Amino acid sequence: MRYVSTRGRAPTLGFDDVLLAGLATDGGLYVPETWPQFSAADLTAFAGLDYASLAAKVMAPFVAGSVIEKELPRLTKQAYARFTHTAVAPLKQLSANEWLLELFHGPTLAFKDFALQLVGLLFEEVLKARKQKITIVGATSGDTGSAAIEACRGRANIEIFILHPEGRTSEVQRRQMTTVDAPNVHNIALKGTFDDCQDVVKALFADATFRGEFNLSAVNSINWARIMAQIVYYIWAGVRLGAPERQVTFAVPTGNFGNVFAGYCAMRMGLPVARFLVGSNRNDILTRYFETGAMTIEGVQPSLSPSMDIQVSSNFERLLFEVSDRDGAAVSRMMDQFKQSASYTVAPAAHAKITALFGGRRLDDEGTKQVMREVRASTGELVDPHTAVGIYAARSEGLDPAIPRIALATAHPAKFPDAVKAATGVSSPLPAVMADIFNRTERFQVLDNDLDAVKRLIRSHV
Ligand SMILES: *Cc1c(COP(=O)(O)O)cnc(C)c1O
């Protein structure tokens, strides 16, 4: 499989190069040159497979020609063996036609483990084959950092440095990063905000000499391999609840648009999907887009669902490319416009294609707590604030009652104990694998918000 950039001016690459590159050289994101197709008979056969076997089947066309092509079944087995639920991604029925797809049984209790557990292994394989080493650098406000660290811990040929804002993550989130005992994992508590952390990371990547010397790489959500791994659970849930005979609807709490875009990919590959309902918190750039056709940046406000406190949904660019009939020049113009004026408008024909398939809903913190209470009262389930936003989106449109609605549960409630307690009065205990997290030793370095200090630290370890 070859990959093309959404902005049309970068060289096409094979899977291994796309994995290591992340962003395309023209600033665009990579998408596959063609969408692999699964027939109705394929989908029927998928229903009998366990999660890791299905993952290998779904991803096989995307890695054709890669050094990992033949290794994929072994790698998916290894990646999903660390999940604590035997189903990996269990479906739980909430009401007559409403289901929760639990994506939080991985090592860090959030859905990002589905992609990152595999991506860590893919990096290792490709680097081994190429006899290369990389240094992964990232900034986190919480979830992404721990998922990336868990994915890269102990892997040959990878050093990982994660910056978090000192004192500004939850204690569970910080300990999930800092109690990992592996010599290639380096936590930096920066004296500053998340934006300061991100600025330092950007500056490291912008320094071409430093970037080249340490072979810097990122595992952020614009990496195609992360999207690819997430396609699997849409197909997994779809075939369990009726595909290929019946359609399903997905509701997805959304930040960077990576998760829900993976659902769109599953649909392009043959899964019958009626609709995608996109949930946002008060940071509602996507909801406003669906309502108006204009994507316009506003400031970020903190909310109960911090992993969706975003200013820009980077992966939306991939959808724009698809609905613009893969016109890279058109996407490029929109992104230039966005950079200049913090706003762009999608052409009416393309916007109509998007709204025919996607609907957006926003929910503020009060509403989020109310959904958490309602779900608790009607089903006995505790859900985290992100999941609550998704459930709200699932309930927001009058759809054909014969079509199952699947809300994605993106984090375990124990990851957000304060919000869960405030909403329901109940505490959600940490699962057994993490119960001792408050007793483990933490390892991190506190650094000033100073680019050179961060560079010195990286230099001293690599
Ligand atoms: C990252 C994250 C999201 C947002 O996912 P995107 O792919 O950025 O849309 C939602 N919920 C949780 C718990 C997350 O960690």
Side-chain angles (χ1 to χ4, degrees):
M1 175 69 79
R2 306 288 296 172
Y3 291 83
V4 297
S5 163
T6 51
R7 300 196 192 174
R9 293 189 311 269
T12 68
L13 298 179
F15 178 81
D16 300 344
D17 289 312
V18 165
L19 175 73
L20 297 182
L23 204 65
T25 49
D26 58 1
L29 310 186
Y30 278 107
V31 290
E33 207 164 47
T34 57
W35 293 107
Q37 294 299 311
F38 294 128
S39 66
D42 292 332
L43 293 174
T44 302
F46 285 169
L49 300 176
D50 63 48
Y51 192 89
S53 306
L54 176 68
K57 286 253 196 277
V58 168
M59 292 187 279
F62 292 118
V63 301
S66 152
V67 299
I68 53 123
E69 184 174 3
K70 292 208 171 52
E71 306 300 321
L72 198 57
R74 173 177 65 80
L75 297 171
T76 57
K77 212 169 162 184
Q78 192 179 339
Y80 299 112
R82 287 194 71 196
F83 284 59
T84 53
H85 196 293
T86 48
V88 181
L91 273 163
K92 203 172 256 175
Q93 191 158 14
L94 287 185
S95 67
N97 72 334
E98 191 182 42
W99 304 75
L100 211 52
L101 178 61
E102 290 187 351
L103 300 175
F104 53 68
H105 296 284
T108 71
L109 310 183
F111 84 96
K112 293 187 172 70
D113 290 327
F114 274 86
L116 285 167
Q117 282 295 311
L118 183 74
V119 166
L121 293 170
L122 298 181
F123 264 105
E124 187 171 50
E125 290 292 317
V126 172
L127 292 170
K128 216 181 335 179
R130 295 191 170 186
K131 300 189 171 55
Q132 281 181 14
K133 286 184 198 258
I134 53 165
T135 305
I136 289 177
V137 185
T140 189
S141 56
D143 280 351
T144 312
S146 58
I149 286 173
E150 276 298 337
C152 295
R153 65 187 289 173
R155 303 235 169 275
N157 305 333
I158 299 176
E159 293 288 327
I160 179 165
F161 294 84
I162 297 292
L163 286 75
H164 69 264
E166 186 192 24
R168 290 176 197 243
T169 60
S170 82
E171 183 165 14
V172 172
Q173 285 178 322
R174 186 189 74 240
R175 284 180 168 272
Q176 280 188 309
M177 298 189 279
T178 58
T179 61
V180 171
D181 183 16
N184 69 330
V185 170
H186 312 282
N187 279 289
I188 298 168
L190 200 77
K191 289 188 196 251
T193 63
F194 170 62
D195 287 335
D196 294 329
C197 294
Q198 224 166 9
D199 287 345
V200 168
V201 171
K202 277 190 195 146
L204 291 171
F205 277 92
D207 180 339
T209 314
F210 191 85
R211 180 181 181 159
E213 184 182 353
F214 293 96
N215 209 4
L216 293 194
S217 189
V219 287
N220 47 25
S221 78
I222 52 96
N223 196 308
W224 164 255
R226 283 183 60 175
I227 306 283
M228 172 186 81
Q230 294 174 178
I231 296 170
V232 178
Y233 51 71
Y234 286 92
I235 295 182
W236 164 265
V239 299
R240 260 160 194 73
L241 293 182
E245 289 82 14
R246 274 196 309 187
Q247 289 187 309
V248 291
T249 283
F250 289 101
V252 188
T254 301
N256 253 320
F257 209 76
N259 197 358
V260 69
F261 184 75
Y264 173 84
C265 299
M267 190 199 78
R268 291 296 300 269
M269 294 165 75
L271 188 72
V273 178
R275 201 144 168 77
F276 293 101
L277 300 168
V278 175
S280 301
N281 60 31
R282 64 199 288 189
N283 299 293
D284 61 348
I285 181 168
L286 283 167
T287 317
R288 287 183 281 114
Y289 163 73
F290 290 121
E291 288 165 355
T292 64
M295 190 74 86
T296 306
I297 290 184
E298 284 178 8
V300 178
Q301 311 278 333
S303 79
L304 287 180
S305 42
S307 297
M308 311 196 307
D309 292 346
I310 50 103
Q311 203 164 19
V312 179
S313 299
S314 331
N315 274 294
F316 194 77
E317 181 170 342
R318 288 187 158 112
L319 181 63
L320 279 179
F321 185 62
E322 294 301 315
V323 298
S324 312
D325 302 318
R326 299 202 147 202
D327 181 348
V331 172
S332 218
R333 279 195 299 276
M334 283 187 269
M335 293 303 129
D336 288 346
Q337 176 76 40
F338 199 38
K339 203 165 176 183
Q340 277 164 25
S341 60
S343 180
Y344 65 91
T345 304
V346 178
H351 182 62
K353 281 190 219 170
I354 292 175
T355 51
L357 189 59
F358 293 86
R361 286 296 178 279
R362 78 174 67 73
L363 188 64
D364 63 15
D365 283 354
E366 244 351 280
T368 302
K369 285 194 270 189
Q370 197 177 324
V371 171
M372 293 163 79
R373 268 192 299 278
E374 275 168 21
V375 171
R376 166 81 181 160
S378 63
T379 69
E381 290 293 322
L382 290 176
V383 294
D384 101 288
H386 304 78
T387 303
V389 170
I391 292 173
Y392 175 77
R395 295 174 173 179
S396 65
E397 282 187 11
L399 298 169
D400 181 348
I403 297 177
R405 295 181 199 198
I406 306 168
L408 273 55
T410 51
H412 193 290
K415 261 198 122 156
F416 300 94
D418 298 342
V420 170
K421 184 89 198 242
T424 65
V426 179
S427 309
S428 176
L430 280 169
V433 281
M434 276 180 50
D436 69 339
I437 195 166
F438 291 99
N439 305 325
R440 294 187 213 153
T441 309
E442 290 194 78
R443 296 156 71 242
F444 62 93
Q445 297 238 11
V446 180
L447 291 185
D448 285 330
N449 178 14
D450 170 17
L451 180 62
D452 286 322
V454 176
K455 281 184 177 171
R456 273 197 302 277
L457 184 84
I458 294 174
R459 206 175 283 279
S460 72
H461 285 288
V462 180

